[in-house]
Amino acid sequence: MSQTLGTIGGMSSLELTLLYLCAAVVSVVGCRLLQLPAMLGYLFAGLVIGPNALALANDSAAVEHLAEFGVVFLMFVIGLEFNLPKLMRMRKLVFGLGLGQVVLTMLTVVLFNAGIGWALHSFGYKWGLSWQAATALGAAMTMSSTAIVVKLMADRVELESPHGQRVMGVLLFQDLAVVPLLVLIPALADMREHNIWETLGIAFIKATVLVSLLLWGGKRLMHKWLRMVARRKSDELFMLNLLLMTLGLSWLTEMAGLSLAMGAFLAGMLIAETNFKHKVEEDIRPFHDVLLGLFFITIGMKLDWEVLFDSWTWVLLLATVPILIKAGLIYGLSRLSGTPAGVSLRTGLYLAQAGEFGFVLLTLGSQNGLIPHAWVSPMLASMVLSMIATPFLIMKADAIVNRLISNDWLLQSLALTNMAQRNLNIEHHVIVCGYGRSGHNLVDFLVLENTAYVALDSDPDRVQAGRDEGHHVELGDATKLASLMSAGLVRAAAVAVTYPETASALKVLAWVKEHAPHVPVIVRTHDDRDLEMLRAAGAAEVVPEVIEGSLMLASQTLAHIGIPLKRVIRLVQGQRMTRYALMRDELKHKEAMDAAEPHQ
């Protein structure tokens, strides 16, 4: 059996696989117990079992090849999320703050390197880092960890907060910037033999031709092909097809002299434009998570303890300085756009760490001979340390902001006080949490019924748009008690959570249950998956979009096949009455009254 499985570094492939799985499971469980991202668990697992610690896995070459697919699937998932409507909605943040952060970070590293080189040269010393190497290092340092930051913000219900939206805008541009950077670094290495502009020009032409061809004919072809595969009604065939397309396009771009990751990104973009996007996301997620976990294990295995101990001051310097530079640059850029100081500093702190694609770009720079080998281990160690520090930095972000920006707390308090004063005379009103499409429609109904309301939203643009329409919309986070109280929670007739985020709804329910248990809360969800959890948390009613969508679909279908409209309306009302508690009680009361009428 062992001969069949083969051996790697004296260990059978089965034993090596079990070792990786065991280390990953134990580390991830530990991180979950400490409420830390699973990614840190993978890094720690690789660090412990790697050749520089317990040396349980001395040869990681085989696993590194497998882990490369983790990067491929990460780019594929990013491609799935990338679409033009989303980009247009966030264009100011993506191409303003995001572009500025990437360009200025790389430029700062290059200028800093040139300054050190000039200073050392003045004293007769030679600085061995070329501007091409500094550019590659700057590209690696400009990246932040999408996986860690997004997970932490989702857990803290901050994705829709002012700083959360800015963080997402920057992360989106960083993800997009990876594609040209994967082309730029090999081009910088080739300039020793070829003219850099010629090399970049050829790479750009290749990328443009390939992308144009794929986007021109690929969308229709992809949709037809996926539809044909889906008609076979085989999940196995559909998954095999996804793997074939993703890896096939990756191979195609690599053959064109570009990168595997770029092909995967294009595959994701093409599928994102079809009707199968959500099914693909669900099907590909296990492969993406497992392979990305392997990628981080191999990164942890590269961390050399000797380098960490022998050059700990140098490693700490490389970990600390980039964090300070990135946080400072993002803070300055955000302030230039008119963002409040507190929001700007939070955005900088959330994005200050290294990212998963930083490792990819660092490795690519080393493989192409740009980054000297002596720099790789210290840089790797410093990037790992910055990612480990990220959860703690984000957890302490509010304390840091309050310490460094003394008027941030005062400004927030003043804003909440002004909101409370504006709402002081409002009572028996509805607090609408979220002024998106659903919140806007609810407000329109409340206006028609002359019912008082206060809408809360954390997006300044949506707040201003609502005010321009004459609606009473306040800038505030519904998951914060201070915002709910300033909106008059204790005097409210009801609270409506109009966005389908369970974690956020649970926070709202907790505050209402503790401070205004008499106020009913109506919650919107995508489906009935979390229905019992929300009811147990105190929701007076849960409205799943799937149920309402199916009722409207049924009513339109019945109407179009000739069923009388009155009967259709009666059927839908009957279904709603049996589905929702308040309507069900009204129905029972009406039936009791109807039964009592003949006896009167």
Side-chain angles (χ1 to χ4, degrees):
M1 180 69 178
S2 59
Q3 290 178 349
T4 304
L5 291 172
T7 59
I8 301 174
M11 182 180 291
S12 74
S13 56
L14 176 59
E15 291 170 339
L16 186 65
T17 302
L18 289 174
L19 173 64
Y20 274 90
L21 290 175
C22 182
V25 168
V26 172
S27 299
V28 171
V29 168
C31 283
R32 291 298 185 193
L33 292 175
L34 296 173
Q35 296 184 336
L36 297 175
M39 203 162 299
L40 296 182
Y42 291 123
L43 285 170
F44 182 73
L47 188 148
V48 171
I49 68 174
N52 301 307
L54 298 181
L56 297 176
N58 292 315
D59 186 359
S60 62
V63 180
E64 283 188 9
H65 289 305
L66 185 60
E68 286 179 9
F69 291 114
V71 180
V72 168
F73 282 103
L74 178 61
M75 284 302 290
F76 177 79
V77 172
I78 290 170
L80 280 176
E81 292 298 323
F82 176 70
N83 55 72
L84 291 177
K86 180 178 181 180
L87 192 63
M88 292 303 295
R89 285 197 305 269
M90 301 180 68
R91 61 186 180 277
K92 291 181 181 179
L93 296 176
V94 174
F95 296 107
L97 189 58
L99 174 62
Q101 182 267 324
V102 170
V103 172
L104 282 181
T105 301
M106 292 179 64
L107 188 61
T108 299
V109 174
V110 173
L111 293 176
F112 190 70
N113 174 70
I116 292 178
W118 177 82
L120 290 176
H121 181 73
S122 302
F123 290 98
Y125 295 99
K126 186 178 180 181
W127 179 248
L129 205 61
S130 65
W131 70 267
Q132 296 97 326
T135 303
L137 282 175
M141 289 169 58
T142 195
M143 296 294 145
S144 305
S145 178
T146 301
I148 291 178
V149 175
V150 171
K151 177 67 170 62
L152 288 171
M153 287 201 303
D155 291 343
R156 292 164 62 90
V157 198
E158 293 180 341
L159 289 173
E160 294 297 324
S161 65
H163 64 273
Q165 293 182 25
R166 284 158 178 79
V167 168
M168 290 303 298
V170 174
L171 289 174
L172 180 57
F173 186 85
Q174 287 180 1
D175 292 339
L176 296 177
V178 170
V179 177
L181 289 176
L182 289 171
V183 176
L184 175 64
I185 291 176
L188 289 173
D190 287 343
M191 70 171 294
R192 295 164 184 167
E193 300 177 3
H194 306 90
N195 182 281
I196 184 173
W197 299 112
E198 180 184 346
T199 305
L200 283 175
I202 293 172
F204 179 75
I205 291 171
K206 284 181 180 179
T208 302
V209 171
L210 187 60
V211 171
S212 299
L213 286 173
L214 288 173
L215 294 181
W216 175 66
K219 178 182 174 181
R220 285 175 294 179
L221 183 62
M222 183 73 75
H223 184 75
K224 289 180 179 179
W225 177 255
L226 287 177
R227 186 169 57 185
M228 183 179 71
V229 173
R231 283 175 179 170
R232 308 284 78 81
K233 296 181 179 180
S234 170
D235 291 338
E236 181 183 4
L237 179 61
F238 194 83
M239 174 55 66
L240 288 171
N241 184 66
L242 283 182
L243 295 174
L244 174 64
M245 289 188 298
T246 304
L247 299 179
L249 280 176
S250 299
W251 173 81
L252 184 64
T253 52
E254 187 180 43
M255 290 298 101
L258 300 172
S259 68
L260 288 169
M262 185 175 181
F265 177 77
L266 290 172
M269 277 186 62
L270 291 174
I271 293 175
E273 298 297 324
T274 69
N275 298 329
F276 299 94
K277 174 185 175 181
H278 299 295
K279 175 175 173 54
V280 170
E281 283 179 330
E282 291 297 320
D283 289 348
I284 211 73
R285 181 65 60 183
F287 289 91
H288 163 254
D289 291 342
V290 171
L291 292 172
L292 191 60
L294 278 176
F295 168 73
F296 278 102
I297 288 177
T298 59
I299 292 298
M301 291 176 68
K302 292 178 182 178
L303 184 60
D304 193 339
W305 283 100
E306 291 186 7
V307 172
L308 195 59
F309 288 127
D310 295 343
S311 309
W312 64 270
T313 53
W314 182 233
V315 171
L316 284 179
L317 187 68
L318 288 173
T320 306
V321 171
I323 287 177
L324 295 175
I325 289 175
K326 285 175 70 175
L329 285 174
I330 294 168
Y331 171 79
L333 286 169
S334 191
R335 290 290 287 148
L336 285 175
S337 65
T339 305
V343 175
S344 300
L345 184 54
R346 284 185 181 87
T347 305
L349 292 172
Y350 277 49
L351 292 167
Q353 79 293 130
E356 43 272 8
F357 277 116
F359 295 119
V360 176
L361 296 173
L362 180 69
T363 304
L364 186 64
S366 176
Q367 289 173 347
N368 283 274
L370 284 178
I371 301 174
H373 181 72
W375 277 77
V376 175
S377 291
M379 278 298 301
L380 190 68
S382 66
M383 292 167 73
V384 172
L385 288 179
S386 74
M387 293 178 76
I388 291 174
T390 300
F392 307 101
L393 190 62
I394 289 178
M395 284 190 287
K396 295 293 182 181
D398 289 338
I400 294 172
V401 170
N402 292 334
R403 186 74 178 266
L404 297 179
I405 303 176
S406 57
N407 67 340
D408 182 68
W409 179 85
L410 181 63
L411 290 173
Q412 290 188 38
S413 300
L414 184 61
L416 290 170
T417 301
N418 291 335
M419 187 200 304
Q421 288 179 343
R422 288 192 294 271
N423 301 323
L424 193 60
N425 297 322
I426 302 177
E427 56 184 18
H428 302 298
H429 58 292
V430 178
I431 298 178
V432 181
C433 302
Y435 188 72
R437 184 178 298 176
S438 296
H440 189 288
N441 290 337
L442 175 57
V443 166
D444 286 338
F445 277 106
L446 294 172
V447 170
L448 287 174
E449 291 298 317
N450 293 319
T451 301
Y453 68 92
V454 176
L456 292 173
D457 201 286
S458 57
D459 185 346
D461 293 334
R462 280 205 293 259
V463 171
Q464 189 57 52
R467 290 175 178 176
D468 292 342
E469 291 187 34
H471 290 166
H472 186 176
V473 189
E474 299 281 2
L475 182 63
D477 186 351
T479 64
K480 302 290 177 62
L481 176 62
S483 296
L484 289 172
M485 297 300 283
S486 297
L489 175 61
V490 294
R491 304 185 305 276
V495 174
V497 181
T498 66
Y499 43 83
E501 293 180 9
T502 301
S504 178
L506 289 172
K507 281 198 172 186
V508 174
L509 287 166
W511 290 128
V512 175
K513 187 175 182 179
E514 182 177 352
H515 296 276
H518 60 283
V519 177
V521 182
I522 298 89
V523 178
R524 170 192 165 203
T525 62
H526 275 307
D527 49 42
D528 54 1
R529 187 181 309 167
D530 299 321
L531 189 145
E532 295 304 325
M533 182 196 306
L534 290 165
R535 281 182 173 171
E541 195 55 81
V542 181
V543 183
E545 292 178 341
V546 172
I547 302 296
E548 288 301 310
S550 64
L551 289 177
M552 290 307 299
L553 179 64
S555 64
Q556 291 295 323
T557 303
L558 292 173
H560 276 82
I561 63 174
I563 304 298
L565 189 58
K566 287 185 178 180
R567 178 166 175 77
V568 172
I569 294 173
R570 197 159 54 245
L571 287 169
V572 172
Q573 286 179 337
Q575 286 294 318
R576 284 201 175 103
M577 286 178 175
T578 56
R579 168 67 183 77
Y580 299 114
L582 185 61
M583 292 183 176
R584 189 162 57 246
D585 293 342
E586 288 292 331
L587 177 62
K588 290 179 180 178
H589 178 69
K590 184 177 182 301
E591 289 175 347
M593 293 294 291
D594 291 342
E597 279 183 3
H599 302 288
Q600 293 179 355

